[in-house]
């Protein structure tokens, strides 16, 4: 090591307000570290991340000639970037920096103050031992493909697609159902303003279809994702529709004539039937039917039929269609895969599936919808209008046996149902709730409004719904049993209809999407955002963003806002046009490489290729994510990750042990 | 109400689970005998959290628990309600604070005594012992007892284990009150 | 098949549970090995008095089962089943309690090395009974009544609130099963004996529901349930449904005579429904 390069290390211990000090005796840590070899200066300060804190580092670098910096504060996930920038501002290579986490790993989790101080000393010493061996690293800039893939065509995906496309970028929207629209297309009214969902939704659906910047792939799925931020290679699988989208005029004759009429309608939540060739609902976008191969007489049962073929004037029916694969390059991906309603069959005490008049909230949405099975008349299966209806909150939510979380939307939609029931049927409505959660603009006001409308709110979670008849006059009704916790009485309310306000869970298939994208999911299955507060739409995978319920339950206003946020992040990335690749990537020493190709097999990013001429493995620096799999797989120690060299790691460990 | 008394229930296994209670009332709503309780389970847990220990020590609630476990399988916080009712009874029994004039503790005592004496339970003998304290209840059951007798379903002779002393010994060995409920 | 059987205190005086169980097992070549010198399990009483004592009373059998060379312990009473299971669970979970229990048992000259699997007699017959080949009872509609403690709290045998295994069993052995909603509603258990007025309604509600759904006979799996449902009808003007044990119906399905099955011991006579062509 030349004299010029002789390490002069500056160490900065952060108090983090009251988070680290006084649990850790920061002054003592600074005093102790000051005595280590190569440490030029060790200081403590209230907030290292603040402007004065950063200036302190910059000044010291300039005035004391520091060439290495250690900051002991919070997690590197929080502020590593901040301090690297400070180091860079002072003219040093930003990789001459190391962070020690004495907050999450010390002060927050250690009871004894002395023990905490000792542990902090060890960790800071380790950082000093490591930074000694740091080397300057360089990042590279790669240009970005100016297009976005949006996965999921519900309100979240549609909004993200529209915002991105309005900014002038190419958008590909993939939806696995035959139409875009998602859950919102099933709703009749939306809380708290009671806008008609269709009125605000269908124009957006048409906008998506007609937008010159949006290419719509319905009845399609994301099949493969490769590459990285700025240049993802995406393969989309277009499932066979058996109807030529270019020829079809959407006249609907095929659906009228199809003889297979008793297929359970998914869109109507099983409350009605559809044909084998169908669009899920009249306002479907695109207005092109699909043939459900399982139920079609020709495709599924090998029978002679062909009625649709006969009646189609534009010859759009094509039984020969096969799945098609389309490959695209996009700069960013927005995931908007949404939710599904919790199936309440597992809660037998509520009798769902046994009692015909027990509905889930989504079934009730359809029952109440003008395009639904009863054309919007709220009637029982026997055609009669219910006189008393119970709405049961928290079905599957706030329940450690099912979903431990609050699903956030159920209180509000339950009260919307109560309002609609009062308005449409005049029925007496009983809401059984644990706590009413109405935090949102005009939400509490809506609660008050529904109270004024005479809805009976009973504070108690329903224990049981039974068809046991206790009074002959209630024959044919169901009885809802709960403790009314405010009066301490057990109430037994005979009702005609029950709506179970079921919670939300991640949509079917989110696990697969998560795997394709490399985006992790939390314990409940929702996609993990990068930071709960400060990076709510980003994911740990750069260039992949989240919109709507796939990240956690949320209502329409929040979903739309988040979708615009996700689009905003994507746009910012695309507008800049370049991404900086990370410096902490693998390198394979050609002198040591034996050409065994173990690293190539181990690489999940296809970032290593084999140089046939030299018979060695070579890392593609643009693709490498620095995961280190190759380093672990390499039998001859040729592969290693920059910034995680053996020397650096050993330096760190030795400083803790010695 | 003395809020600062030490919690007499603190040694109960899983008592801390009631800290998770959200007071939803599923337990009380599921309870077949909630109407007979002075504080149905939800409320009893609230009382313990408030530190109203005297109230709980004298409550009739645990004595009306029929062990149907309906509350326990439905509780959204998976609180072992029925198990806690057993444990509360044990503390109350050891502290001697069961409500006066409540019939169930007497019934339990008669039942337990019968096991201690013979190792087995003979229903007629349990009823006889219980009847000494509650003669009206015993008398009311006579017509039914006659019907049972006619069908060979009433055993008046004590069922016994081979060595009743061994069961009495088991009772003695488990007498110490230091064991946790 | 050989099983280790724990009859429990109410078995002998029950309305033919003993007779029918023995007759059916004889017919099916099931050898009932009664635990010699068994004692009361403590039922719902003992855990409310003293946890260690309750556990020791139950565990005494576990040690005995072991000496008999069995791995499973079978009982026909829901209260015994739930109580023994609770003890077994606690002994597995709580090392301190296990040690103390072991000390008590050693004082009685016993030793506990292994905790048997506790099974209900219903499980045994579900495996052993052959499918029906006769239509004789196809018109006899039965409502299955489980009571509380077979499927709760563990729910491993079937769902806690709406189990179906007894229905499947009865259907398989040739009865017409009526679905109903009272299958695990509580009958008041031991409280019904002294809080008669308060609990009578619980049993009567169960009977009405089963009758409403078209059953003529009730099948029970527990002596206390049988007793409560049987006696509740005596003081009620409601429907009269004989309350049988599932073993009695199994016996009929096997062609055994009603008298052999103790059916004459029911308070509400079964003659009318069972003496059909």
């Amino acid at each position: 090591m030349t004299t010029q390069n002789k390490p002069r290390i500056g160490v900065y211990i952060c108090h983090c307000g009251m988070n680290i000090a006084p649990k850790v005796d920061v002054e003592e840590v600074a005093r102790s570290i000051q005595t280590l070899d190569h440490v030029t200066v060790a200081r403590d300060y209230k907030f290292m991340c603040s402007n004065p804190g950063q200036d302190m580092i910059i000044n010291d670098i300039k005035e004391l000639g520091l060439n290495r910096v250690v900051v002991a504060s919070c997690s590197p996930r929080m502020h590593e970037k901040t301090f690297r920038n400070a180091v860079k501002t002072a003219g040093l290579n930003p990789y001459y920096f190391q962070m020690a986490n004495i907050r999450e790993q010390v002060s927050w989790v250690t009871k004894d103050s002395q023990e905490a101080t000792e542990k902090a000393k060890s960790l800071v010493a380790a950082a000093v031992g490591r930074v000694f061996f740091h080397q300057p690293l360089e990042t590279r800039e790669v240009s970005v493909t100016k297009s976005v893939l949006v996965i999921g065509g519900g309100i979240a995906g549609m909004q993200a697609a529209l915002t991105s496309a309005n900014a002038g970028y190419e958008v590909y929207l993939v939806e696995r159902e035959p139409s875009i629209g998602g859950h919102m297309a099933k709703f009749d009214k939306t809380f708290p303003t009671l806008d008609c969902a269709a009125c605000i939704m269908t124009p957006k659906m048409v906008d998506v279809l007609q937008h010159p910047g949006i290419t719509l792939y319905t009845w399609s799925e994301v099949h493969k994702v490769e590459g990285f931020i700025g240049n993802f290679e995406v393969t989309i699988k277009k499932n066979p529709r058996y109807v030529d989208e270019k020829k079809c005029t959407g006249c609907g004759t095929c659906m009228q004539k199809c003889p297979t009429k008793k297929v359970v309608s998914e869109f109507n939540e099983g409350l009605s039937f559809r044909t084998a060739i169908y669009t899920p609902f009249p306002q479907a976008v695109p207005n092109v039917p699909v043939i459900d191969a399982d139920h079609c007489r020709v495709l599924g049962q090998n029978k002679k039929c062909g009625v649709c073929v006969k009646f189609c004037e534009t010859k759009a029916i094509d039984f020969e269609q096969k799945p098609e694969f389309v490959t695209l390059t996009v700069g960013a991906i927005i995931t908007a895969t949404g939710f599904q309603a919790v199936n309440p069959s597992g809660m037998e005490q509520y009798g769902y599936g046994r009692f015909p008049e027990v509905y889930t909230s989504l079934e009730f949405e359809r029952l109440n919808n003008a395009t639904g099975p009863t054309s919007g008349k709220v009637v029982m299966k026997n055609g009669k209008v219910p006189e008393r209806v119970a709405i049961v909150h928290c079905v599957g939510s706030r329940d450690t046996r099912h979903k431990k979380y609050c699903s956030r939307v159920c209180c509000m939609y339950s009260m919307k149902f109560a309002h609609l029931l009062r308005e449409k049927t005049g029925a007496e409505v009983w809401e059984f709730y644990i706590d009413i959660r109405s935090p949102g603009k005009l939400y509490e006001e809506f609660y008050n409004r529904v109270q004024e409308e005479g809805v009976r709110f009973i504070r108690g979670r329903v224990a049981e719904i039974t068809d046991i008849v206790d009074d002959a006059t209630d024959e044919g009704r169901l009885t809802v049993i709960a403790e009314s916790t405010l009066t301490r009485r057990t109430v037994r309310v005979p009702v005609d209809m029950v709506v179970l306000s079921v919670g939300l869970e991640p949509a079917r298939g989110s696990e697969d999407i998560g795997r394709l994208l490399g985006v992790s999911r939390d314990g409940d299955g929702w996609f993990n955002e990068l930071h709960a507060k400060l990076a709510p739409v980003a994911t740990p995978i750069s260039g992949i963003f989240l919109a709507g319920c796939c990240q956690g339950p949320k209502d329409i206003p929040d979903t739309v806002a988040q979708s615009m946020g996700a689009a905003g992040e994507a746009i910012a990335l695309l507008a800049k046009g370049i991404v900086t690749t990370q410096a902490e990537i693998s390198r394979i020493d050609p002198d040591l490489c034996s050409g065994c190709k173990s690293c190539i097999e181990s690489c999940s990013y296809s970032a290593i290729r084999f140089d046939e001429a030299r018979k060695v493995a070579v890392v593609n620096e643009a693709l490498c994510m620095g995961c280190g799999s190759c380093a672990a797989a390499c039998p001859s120690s040729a592969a290693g990750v920059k910034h995680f060299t053996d020397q650096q790691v050993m330096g760190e460990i030795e400083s803790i042990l010695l | 109400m003395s809020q600062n008394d030490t919690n007499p229930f603190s040694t109960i296994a899983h008592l801390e689970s009631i800290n998770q209670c959200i007071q939803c009332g599923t337990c009380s709503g599921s309870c077949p005998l909630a109407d007979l309780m002075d504080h149905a389970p939800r409320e009893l847990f609230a009382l313990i959290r408030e530190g109203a220990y005297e109230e709980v020590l004298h409550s009739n609630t645990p004595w009306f628990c029929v062990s149907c476990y309906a509350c326990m399988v439905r509780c959204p916080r998976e609180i072992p309600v029925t198990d806690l009712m057993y444990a509360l009874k044990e503390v109350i029994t050891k502290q001697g604070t069961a409500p006066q004039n409540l019939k169930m503790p007497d019934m339990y005592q008669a039942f337990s005594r019968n096991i201690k004496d013979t190792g087995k339970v003979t229903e007629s003998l349990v009823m006889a012992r219980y009847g000494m304290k509650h003669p009206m209840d015993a008398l009311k059951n006579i017509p039914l007892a006659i019907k049972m007798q006619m069908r060979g379903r009433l055993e008046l002779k004590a069922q016994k284990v081979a060595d009743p002393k061994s069961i009495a010994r088991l009772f003695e060995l488990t007498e110490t009150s230091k064991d946790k409920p | 098949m050989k099983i280790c059987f724990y009859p429990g205190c109410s078995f002998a005086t029950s309305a033919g549970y003993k007779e029918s169980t023995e007759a059916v097992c004889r017919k099916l070549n099931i050898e009932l090995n009664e635990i010699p010198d068994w004692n009361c399990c403590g039922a719902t009483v003992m855990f409310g008095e003293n946890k260690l004592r309750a556990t020791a009373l139950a565990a005494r059998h576990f040690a005995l089962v072991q000496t008999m060379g069995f791995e499973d312990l079978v009982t026909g009473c829901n209260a015994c089943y739930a109580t023994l299971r609770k003890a077994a669970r606690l002994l597995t979970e709580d090392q301190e309690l296990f040690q103390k229990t072991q000390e008590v048992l050693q004082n009685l000259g016993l030793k506990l090395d292994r905790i048997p699997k506790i099974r209900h007699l219903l499980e045994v017959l579900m495996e052993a009974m052959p499918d029906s080949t006769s239509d004789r009872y196809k018109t006899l509609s039965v409502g299955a009544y489980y009571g509380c403690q077979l499927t709760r709290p563990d729910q491993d045998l079937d769902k806690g609130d709406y189990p179906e295994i007894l229905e499947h069993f009865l259907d398989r052995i040739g009865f017409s099963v009526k679905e109903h909603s009272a299958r695990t509603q509580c009958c008041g258990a031991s409280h019904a004996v002294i809080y008669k007025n308060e609990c009578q309604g619980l049993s009567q509600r169960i009977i009405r529901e089963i009758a409403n759904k078209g059953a003529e006979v009730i099948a029970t799996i527990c002596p206390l349930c049988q007793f409560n449902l049987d006696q509740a009808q005596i003081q009620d003007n409601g429907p009269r449904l004989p309350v049988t044990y599932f073993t009695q119906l199994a016996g009929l399905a096997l062609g055994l005579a009603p008298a052999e099955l103790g059916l004459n011991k029911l308070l509400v006579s079964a003659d009318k429904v069972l003496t059909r062509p």
Side-chain angles (χ1 to χ4, degrees):
Chain A
M1 207 166 276
T2 64
T3 354
Q4 191 198 355
N5 237 345
K6 195 170 170 227
R8 293 178 60 79
I9 306 172
V11 182
Y12 300 87
I13 319 293
C14 183
H15 300 200
C16 196
M18 298 287 281
N19 275 302
I20 295 173
K23 176 60 72 62
V24 172
D25 183 344
V26 285
E27 289 171 20
E28 166 61 18
V29 176
R31 267 197 301 277
S32 151
I33 295 300
Q34 180 77 68
T35 64
L36 297 181
D37 285 348
H38 309 291
V39 172
T40 308
V41 63
R43 304 181 196 273
D44 62 278
Y45 185 65
K46 208 147 196 66
F47 288 106
M48 283 311 300
C49 58
S50 67
N51 253 337
Q54 295 188 47
D55 284 346
M56 185 191 286
I57 299 173
I58 295 168
N59 285 339
D60 282 356
I61 293 173
K62 289 179 178 159
E63 285 167 19
L64 303 176
L66 302 180
N67 56 16
R68 302 279 196 286
V69 171
V70 169
V71 175
S73 56
C74 51
S75 159
R77 274 189 66 169
M78 191 78 194
H79 276 313
E80 187 173 60
K81 226 178 201 171
T82 313
F83 296 121
R84 275 188 183 163
N85 279 338
V87 170
K88 194 176 168 191
T89 309
L92 270 183
N93 183 291
Y95 291 87
Y96 278 132
F97 167 76
Q98 179 64 19
M99 203 159 169
N101 183 352
I102 58 168
R103 191 177 75 173
E104 284 87 338
Q105 294 178 357
V106 180
S107 64
W108 281 358
V109 292
T110 315
K111 259 199 184 135
D112 182 64
S113 179
Q114 206 173 343
E115 212 178 303
T117 305
E118 287 310 310
K119 186 174 175 191
K121 282 184 196 170
S122 291
L123 291 183
V124 181
V128 170
R130 187 187 209 283
V131 83
F132 182 90
F133 294 108
H134 278 197
Q135 281 160 356
L137 297 176
E138 295 305 328
T139 52
R140 281 192 328 121
E141 287 180 343
V142 176
S143 70
V144 170
T145 304
K146 303 213 168 192
S147 59
V148 187
L149 169 74
V150 178
I151 308 172
I155 183 62
M158 283 164 47
Q159 186 59 57
L162 283 169
T163 305
S164 310
N166 286 342
Y169 298 103
E170 187 75 36
V171 176
Y172 306 99
L173 177 57
V174 179
E175 166 59 53
R176 69 179 167 194
E177 298 297 330
S179 168
I180 55 171
H183 280 100
M184 191 177 163
K186 297 185 176 187
F187 303 164
D188 183 56
K189 294 281 197 302
T190 53
F191 62 77
T193 46
L194 299 173
D195 305 76
C196 151
C199 308
I200 56 178
M201 179 87 177
T202 36
K204 262 199 199 300
M205 289 163 61
V206 176
D207 283 353
V208 168
L209 182 73
Q210 293 178 345
H211 202 297
I214 300 177
T215 310
L216 193 53
Y217 294 100
T218 54
W219 204 237
S220 302
E221 288 159 61
V222 175
H223 180 69
K224 202 161 89 179
V225 178
E226 290 180 322
F228 66 107
I229 179 171
N231 297 286
F232 293 101
E233 294 279 325
V234 181
T235 309
I236 292 164
K237 180 186 174 199
K238 288 179 71 182
N239 291 313
R241 238 185 156 91
Y242 304 110
V243 177
D244 188 329
E245 284 183 66
K246 291 191 190 81
K247 290 185 188 163
C248 174
T249 59
C251 71
T253 311
C254 53
M255 293 189 265
Q256 280 167 18
K257 302 292 180 187
C258 176
T260 306
K261 296 194 190 298
K262 291 280 179 187
V263 186
V264 170
S265 160
E266 299 86 354
F267 190 79
N268 275 338
E269 296 290 323
L271 295 173
S272 71
F273 297 111
R274 61 164 172 79
T275 42
I277 184 165
Y278 72 105
T279 56
F281 55 106
Q283 299 76 26
V285 170
N287 186 22
V288 178
V290 295
I291 298 178
D292 165 359
D294 291 339
H295 292 96
C296 169
R297 295 183 185 204
V298 175
L299 290 165
Q301 293 153 20
N302 244 332
K303 287 182 187 163
K304 281 188 184 163
C305 176
V307 171
C308 51
V309 178
K310 202 167 93 196
F311 283 95
C312 181
E313 289 182 9
T314 59
K315 304 273 170 265
I317 310 290
D318 176 7
F319 287 129
E320 301 304 313
Q321 270 189 9
K322 295 277 171 290
E324 253 180 73
F325 293 87
V326 181
T327 303
L328 307 163
T329 305
V330 295
I333 298 176
I334 296 174
T335 309
T337 51
F339 70 95
Q340 65 187 27
V342 170
N343 181 341
S345 304
M347 290 157 261
E348 330 104 69
Q349 70 268 33
Y350 293 157
Y352 177 73
R354 264 191 294 140
F355 305 138
E357 292 307 323
V358 175
Y359 298 85
T360 66
S361 36
L362 274 181
E363 287 168 355
F364 186 80
E365 288 284 1
R366 295 313 299 155
L367 195 61
N368 180 55
N369 196 294
T371 66
T374 57
S375 305
K377 272 186 277 181
V378 179
V379 289
M380 299 187 278
K381 300 248 160 63
N382 64 10
K384 287 188 187 152
V385 176
E387 285 173 19
R388 193 183 291 137
V389 181
I391 301 177
V392 181
H393 288 225
C394 296
V395 177
S397 305
R398 303 185 67 192
D399 184 343
T400 50
R401 291 170 208 277
H402 300 279
K403 306 292 168 192
K404 61 179 185 292
Y405 50 81
C406 165
S407 290
R408 270 190 72 186
V409 293
C410 321
C411 278
M412 291 307 297
Y413 77 60
S414 296
M415 294 193 285
K416 176 188 77 178
F417 289 167
H419 164 81
L420 294 169
L421 275 160
R422 297 288 297 145
E423 188 180 65
K424 283 191 166 179
T425 65
E428 205 177 274
V429 180
W430 293 61
E431 294 242 10
F432 292 87
Y433 69 96
I434 308 175
D435 301 293
I436 291 290
R437 295 189 168 170
S438 53
K441 196 168 172 181
L442 297 177
Y443 285 14
E444 187 72 6
E445 291 88 331
F446 187 74
Y447 175 23
N448 293 342
R449 171 180 175 177
V450 174
Q451 285 180 309
E452 277 168 23
E453 288 168 353
V455 172
R456 297 175 190 225
F457 284 88
I458 303 295
R459 194 201 169 278
R461 181 173 174 271
V462 170
E464 189 181 342
I465 296 164
T466 183
D467 65 343
I468 298 180
V469 179
D470 289 316
D471 184 331
T473 57
D474 294 322
E475 187 69 48
R477 292 182 128 180
L478 296 168
T479 302
V480 177
I481 305 170
E483 188 200 9
S484 172
T485 60
L486 301 179
T487 58
R488 314 157 64 215
R489 290 182 334 127
T490 302
V491 291
R492 296 179 174 83
V493 187
V495 297
D496 300 309
M497 182 186 274
V498 177
V499 182
L500 301 179
S501 296
V502 292
L504 274 50
E505 64 185 7
R508 160 184 68 85
S510 341
E511 198 180 345
D512 302 330
I513 291 285
R515 209 176 300 122
L516 280 176
L517 299 174
V519 175
S520 58
R521 304 190 310 149
D522 66 18
D524 299 311
W526 306 108
F527 289 127
N528 279 327
E529 63 279 6
L530 182 61
H531 189 282
K533 288 141 204 154
L534 300 180
V537 302
T539 67
I541 306 292
S542 307
I544 300 184
F545 306 102
L546 303 174
C549 285
C550 66
Q551 178 257 344
K554 50 182 70 66
D555 56 22
I556 296 169
D558 284 3
T559 292
V560 172
Q562 199 203 19
S563 304
M564 290 172 169
E569 286 272 26
I571 291 166
L573 166 66
L574 267 42
K576 195 179 175 198
I578 47 164
V579 285
T580 309
T581 61
Q582 63 180 61
E584 302 98 320
I585 53 169
S586 290
R587 71 178 291 276
I588 296 171
D589 189 334
D591 295 338
L592 295 177
C593 178
S594 64
C596 73
K597 300 184 187 174
S598 306
C599 54
I600 296 177
E601 279 168 36
S602 75
C603 181
S604 314
Y605 305 95
S606 310
I608 307 177
R609 64 177 179 81
F610 193 67
D611 182 339
E612 291 291 348
R614 291 188 296 156
K615 301 283 180 213
V616 291
V618 181
V619 177
N620 179 338
E621 295 192 352
L623 294 178
C624 176
M625 298 296 288
C627 72
S629 298
C630 54
C634 179
S636 44
S637 301
V641 182
K642 293 178 190 171
H643 210 56
F644 290 90
T645 64
D646 289 353
Q647 212 181 21
Q648 288 162 354
V649 175
M650 289 311 291
E652 195 169 9
I653 295 172
E654 272 171 19
S655 301
I656 289 181
L657 297 179
L658 298 180
Chain B
M1 192 174 63
S2 43
Q3 296 283 1
N4 297 321
D5 286 355
T6 16
N7 182 352
F9 309 110
S10 61
T11 53
I12 291 178
H14 306 300
L15 185 76
E16 73 291 345
S17 66
I18 67 167
N19 293 336
Q20 306 284 325
C21 173
I22 51 171
Q23 292 286 301
C24 68
T26 305
C27 48
S28 307
S30 300
C31 182
L33 294 186
D35 292 347
L36 301 180
M37 296 171 172
D38 47 17
H39 308 287
R42 172 193 61 79
E43 208 178 313
L44 202 69
F45 295 156
L47 285 168
I48 297 175
R49 296 204 298 204
E50 285 167 20
Y53 305 129
E54 280 299 308
E55 191 81 27
V56 178
L57 282 169
H58 292 93
S59 167
N60 71 15
T61 303
W63 302 100
F64 279 114
C65 172
V66 279
S67 306
C68 74
Y69 292 97
C71 49
M72 203 156 135
V73 299
R74 292 177 185 165
C75 173
R77 284 296 183 271
E78 294 177 80
I79 296 169
V81 184
T82 314
D83 291 343
L84 290 174
M85 289 299 154
Y86 277 120
L88 287 169
K89 266 182 286 194
E90 184 172 347
V91 174
I92 291 168
T93 303
K94 285 176 176 169
Q95 302 242 347
T97 58
Q100 297 290 312
N101 308 323
L102 189 63
K103 295 194 280 186
M104 218 53 206
D106 295 336
M107 180 67 171
Y108 280 17
Q109 243 169 37
F111 193 96
S112 171
R113 182 59 193 269
N114 193 213
I115 303 177
K116 187 178 179 183
D117 290 347
T118 65
K120 293 184 184 180
V121 161
T122 310
E123 282 129 5
S124 56
L125 299 184
V126 174
M127 276 312 281
R129 183 178 293 274
Y130 167 80
M132 289 196 279
K133 281 194 181 168
H134 302 275
M136 283 311 288
D137 273 9
L139 287 174
K140 267 193 282 180
N141 274 309
I142 286 177
L144 180 61
I146 293 170
K147 284 202 171 77
M148 302 284 283
Q149 168 75 24
M150 284 164 61
R151 286 166 177 79
R153 291 172 61 183
L154 192 70
E155 178 61 72
L156 294 170
K157 217 178 87 209
Q159 307 190 76
K160 272 188 186 169
V161 294
D163 176 19
K165 279 196 189 120
S166 68
I167 301 295
R169 176 98 183 106
L170 186 152
F171 270 66
E172 273 165 38
L173 289 166
T174 53
E175 198 52 58
T176 162
S177 60
K178 266 184 262 164
D179 298 320
K180 285 178 196 149
Chain C
M1 192 190 337
K2 290 180 181 181
I3 59 169
C4 175
F5 190 63
Y6 175 71
C9 302
S10 307
F11 191 63
T13 52
S14 62
Y17 204 5
K18 182 172 157 58
E19 293 87 333
S20 55
T21 301
E22 287 171 357
V24 166
C25 287
R26 248 194 324 272
K27 181 88 179 172
L28 295 173
N29 278 324
I30 299 170
E31 190 182 307
L32 282 172
N33 294 277
E34 191 170 303
I35 300 183
D37 203 30
W38 55 268
N39 56 269
C40 171
C41 68
T44 47
V45 171
M46 207 50 74
F47 272 106
E49 178 178 295
N50 182 319
K51 181 155 128 186
L52 176 61
R53 180 175 297 162
T55 312
L57 275 177
R60 183 172 171 270
H61 301 110
F62 302 164
L64 292 172
V65 172
Q66 203 176 294
T67 60
M68 294 167 71
F70 281 96
E71 307 221 326
D72 297 359
L73 191 168
V74 177
T75 177
C77 165
N78 283 8
C80 300
Y81 176 78
T83 306
L84 295 172
R85 285 191 130 200
K86 176 164 175 166
R89 171 166 57 82
L90 287 173
L91 286 169
T92 324
E93 278 172 9
D94 187 341
Q95 267 306 309
E96 195 186 328
L97 184 69
F98 183 90
Q99 280 312 324
K100 284 185 175 170
T101 308
Q102 186 74 291
E103 281 165 29
V104 173
L105 291 179
Q106 277 167 352
N107 249 294
L108 304 178
L110 293 166
K111 191 162 173 284
L112 184 62
D113 295 318
R114 187 166 40 76
I115 295 160
K117 183 169 192 269
I118 317 295
R119 305 181 74 207
H120 195 283
L121 184 60
L122 174 62
E123 295 176 75
V124 175
L125 291 198
M126 273 169 28
E127 286 167 17
M129 274 293 284
D131 288 359
S132 168
T133 51
S134 132
D135 282 345
R136 183 154 179 214
Y137 293 104
K138 267 281 169 262
T139 54
L140 184 61
S141 42
V142 185
Y145 179 70
Y146 295 78
C148 304
Q149 299 188 330
L150 179 76
T151 57
R152 293 192 297 247
D154 289 345
Q155 307 194 73
D156 54 347
L157 215 51
D158 205 343
K159 293 167 291 178
D161 269 304
Y162 200 77
E164 289 164 314
I165 51 171
L166 187 50
E167 275 83 356
H168 293 157
F169 175 75
L170 293 168
D171 176 64
R172 193 168 68 74
I173 65 171
F175 293 88
S176 159
V177 174
K178 294 292 173 193
E179 301 276 330
H180 65 90
S181 297
R183 48 189 85 186
T184 61
Q185 297 282 324
C186 179
C187 67
S190 58
H191 287 67
V193 180
I194 55 172
Y195 290 96
K196 248 197 162 81
N197 297 339
E198 295 86 344
C199 294
Q200 203 75 342
L202 296 175
S203 286
Q204 285 165 356
R205 183 165 180 261
I206 293 163
I207 292 152
R208 288 215 174 85
E209 160 65 4
I210 299 177
N212 267 353
K213 296 284 165 72
E216 304 161 85
V217 180
I218 299 176
T220 60
I221 59 168
C222 164
L224 192 51
C225 299
Q226 193 282 335
F227 172 73
N228 277 341
L229 296 190
D230 204 3
Q231 62 85 24
Q233 300 182 53
I234 299 196
Q235 288 128 343
D236 188 36
N237 301 323
R240 287 240 184 291
L241 268 63
V243 186
T244 64
Y245 288 102
F246 76 107
T247 44
Q248 291 172 322
L249 297 182
L252 292 173
L254 290 170
L256 301 172
E260 227 181 318
L261 301 167
L263 276 161
N264 52 332
K265 290 190 166 186
L266 273 52
L267 294 175
V268 175
S269 165
D271 295 352
K272 234 170 39 187
V273 284
L274 299 180
T275 51
R276 52 176 66 200

